Each structure stands twice: as C-alpha cells, then as structure tokens.
Amino acid sequence: MISLIPRSRKSGLRGGVHADADHVALAVVRRSRGQRPRLEHCAVIPYDAKATGIPGLEAAARSLELDRMAVTAALSYDDYQLVMVEAPDVQAGELRAAVRWRLREAIDFHIDDAVVDVFDLPAQERRGQARMMYAVAARSAAVARCSAMIAPIAPGLESIDIPELCLRNISALLPQDQVGVALLVLEPHHGQLVLTRQGVLHLARRVEFARLNAEPGDGDSAIDAAALALELQRSLDYYESSLGQAAITDLVIAPNSPRAATLAADLGRETSLRIHLLDLTGVLDCREPPDADMQRACLYAVGAALRDDAPAL
C-alpha cells in the first residue's frame, strides 16, 4: 500500500519479504500471461530480535536475485491498524487528509505517528448505503524500520503492504474465489479472516481468540470452535446482507497444521460450510514444492510476491 520509487526490474518476477518475530521470509513469484503463478523460490532466515542485524539475510537475498526485480514487503500485524470508514465526500486529492482526521479517535496511537492510506471496497449493492472504504494507519517508525531493513537487499522495493492484502492475493487464486470464499489464517493468538470474490477483497476481520473465552497457553491460544463459528457466521451474514453478495459456502484454513486440521474438523461439526486446508502447491506451480513448515513461514511473503497491481501505500 505504501508506494516507493519504482526501480528497474526483471520482467515477470516479483519478490516478497515479511519479517516475523523470529524470522524473515523471502519469496519470488513469476507471472506469465495465461498461466498459474509459479513460486520460484522461498527462504526463511531465523534471527534474534535482540541482536543487531540479521546474519544470512543479505546472502539469501543475493541468491534469490532480489536486486533484479520489483519487491513488495509486508508489515507485521502489530505495525498498523485497519479501520473500515465511511468514505468522505471530498475530492480524490483530499481523501487521505480527510480520512486521517477521522482516524484520530479510531486508533490506539497518535495520528501524527501514522502513515495513512486508503483502499476502496466494492460498491455496496444495497441502495441508500454509504460508500465504505478501508483506512490503514501504519506506525511511521515501523514503515521506516521495514524500509531500512529491506531496501539495502532489495533496491527494487516498490511497496509495503499489509497482511490482509497479501492474503487477498492468495485467496484470489483459490478456485472457490470465483463465487466467493472465506480464508482464515491462524496466528498464535488471533485468526485473520478475509472474504474475497473474483480477486476483490470484500471484508477483512481479525478475531482475537481470547475474546472467544479461550484460555491462552504457553504457546498458541486454544480456540473455542463453537464461539469462532458464531463469529464467522456474523461476518458471512454481513457479507450477504450489507454487501449484497451471494452466500459463501467454502472456508479455507491456513496454514496447514495439526492445529488447523483439528479446527477444521470442529468447524465442520459447528457449521454447514465446506472446510478445506490451504496447500499452496494446489494454487501455485512450484519449482520446489514447499513443505507445510515452509508454507507456514512464507505465507505472507508469498502473498506479497503475488501482488499484481500498480504500486500503492
């Protein structure tokens, strides 16, 4: 979403970078007209957040030739807030300033410390409804930190996206996306839900597992499937009733793991949805098919590398 100055790039290739709490993930995707995207490379470089620098990152980026292509980075969830707002009735050039004013009371950090951008939602089908859009308030320090880490290893860094848009890029490849699909990504303590149809993001929602009366453990939070099913249904109802879309009948859960498999079985009993586990090899051609652990670590980097529109944010 955050646009940077485009550089020369290797045709058809785009890199994606995502830094998590203990690793940096890199991915390279090739797009060719009329063919499925091809995952050329992915790599994970572990690091200690308390240490200075990330040993091995420069060498990994060099081996993937990130300096020869356009690159999109993905922020971490703690680095921004995503808010659905009513679109201000102003000229396009005044939109960000008007939205910035509205965000002052909607975010939990000072607006002066935020980089703000917006992206449209599809036009509402119901007459009389206000035009809605998503506003992103990213912490300025986080954007600067992300750029400072990645720009030296990827001179073609063009844009910095949020995870929801990276997931939109992956969801758009699912066969169920033609009629509408829900993608739920399990993080340690929350679930990130995106609803897409024909490559368009209609709804993004974060569900905190602690709010579902689940008791957090030492690692991942437990998930109350019955409570989560209710939250999913609320989102799907909003998608139908407020956005005027046909009912979604498929839910895809990622990353593929024993935790996801258990939740899929539980949600299968709690809902009438068809439940699937995401396997990137089913939607991407892959030079070397990544195993489940690599898919989990590189999910957002792959989503960033799948960006296929003009630079934004």
Side-chain angles (χ1 to χ4, degrees):
M1 296 196 48
I2 298 172
S3 291
L4 305 172
I5 298 174
R7 311 293 180 91
S8 60
R9 47 191 168 184
K10 194 172 181 180
S11 177
L13 293 177
R14 179 177 286 271
V17 183
H18 176 245
D20 210 335
D22 58 0
H23 70 269
V24 176
L26 309 176
V28 175
V29 168
R30 180 186 298 276
R31 284 188 179 272
S32 301
R33 190 178 301 277
Q35 299 180 23
R36 292 204 309 182
R38 176 180 170 87
L39 180 61
E40 296 287 349
H41 305 284
C42 53
V44 175
I45 301 91
Y47 74 97
D48 183 348
K50 298 179 181 179
T52 301
I54 304 176
L57 180 59
E58 183 177 353
R62 189 164 53 248
S63 70
L64 269 58
E65 299 184 313
L66 286 188
D67 60 337
R68 301 181 60 191
M69 66 192 72
V71 172
T72 295
L75 292 173
S76 296
Y77 283 108
D78 292 339
D79 293 339
Y80 69 96
Q81 288 181 246
L82 181 65
V83 183
M84 186 185 289
V85 298
E86 184 176 331
D89 186 16
V90 298
Q91 298 295 320
E94 303 171 349
L95 192 57
R96 286 181 178 82
V99 168
R100 174 180 284 272
W101 179 264
R102 293 188 177 185
L103 286 176
R104 291 180 306 159
E105 305 300 326
I107 62 176
D108 60 11
F109 58 99
H110 200 284
I111 193 64
D112 290 347
D113 298 326
V115 177
V116 174
D117 204 353
V118 298
F119 60 94
D120 277 319
L121 287 167
Q124 281 74 28
E125 298 291 337
R126 307 296 188 192
R127 290 185 178 181
Q129 287 188 326
R131 175 186 163 218
M132 304 300 291
M133 61 174 36
Y134 274 120
V136 180
R139 298 177 187 273
S140 302
V143 173
R145 184 172 63 250
C146 179
S147 181
M149 178 186 72
I150 297 171
I153 64 168
L157 178 63
E158 282 192 348
S159 52
I160 300 175
D161 266 352
I162 59 174
E164 288 87 343
L165 293 180
C166 298
L167 298 179
R168 181 273 314 272
N169 299 340
I170 292 172
S171 185
L173 300 178
L174 297 170
Q176 300 93 334
D177 174 70
Q178 286 303 305
V179 295
V181 66
L183 173 63
L184 177 67
V185 176
L186 304 182
E187 294 295 326
H189 303 298
H190 78 267
Q192 180 60 58
L193 178 69
V194 296
L195 307 184
T196 68
R197 179 173 176 269
Q198 297 181 9
V200 176
L201 176 67
H202 287 262
L203 184 67
R205 184 182 173 208
R206 197 177 304 182
V207 181
E208 300 294 339
F209 295 143
R211 294 182 58 194
L212 305 180
N213 298 319
E215 292 295 332
D218 294 332
D220 295 344
S221 292
I223 305 174
D224 183 330
L228 178 58
L230 289 176
E231 295 300 319
L232 291 173
Q233 192 58 55
R234 289 191 181 102
S235 297
L236 295 174
D237 288 346
Y238 178 83
Y239 173 82
E240 292 180 54
S241 61
S242 295
L243 303 183
Q245 299 295 318
I248 285 177
T249 57
D250 289 270
L251 171 69
V252 179
I253 302 176
N256 192 335
S257 66
R259 186 188 190 209
T262 298
L263 180 62
D266 291 342
L267 288 177
R269 291 186 288 269
E270 297 287 345
T271 75
S272 60
L273 294 168
R274 291 188 292 264
I275 315 293
H276 317 265
L277 297 178
L278 178 66
D279 182 356
L280 289 177
T281 64
V283 295
L284 296 167
D285 291 334
C286 302
R287 179 183 293 271
E288 294 183 9
D291 61 21
D293 289 339
M294 183 64 76
Q295 290 190 37
R296 179 169 60 251
C298 290
L299 183 67
Y300 296 105
V302 171
L306 282 168
R307 184 185 174 112
D308 193 33
D309 54 2
L313 221 201

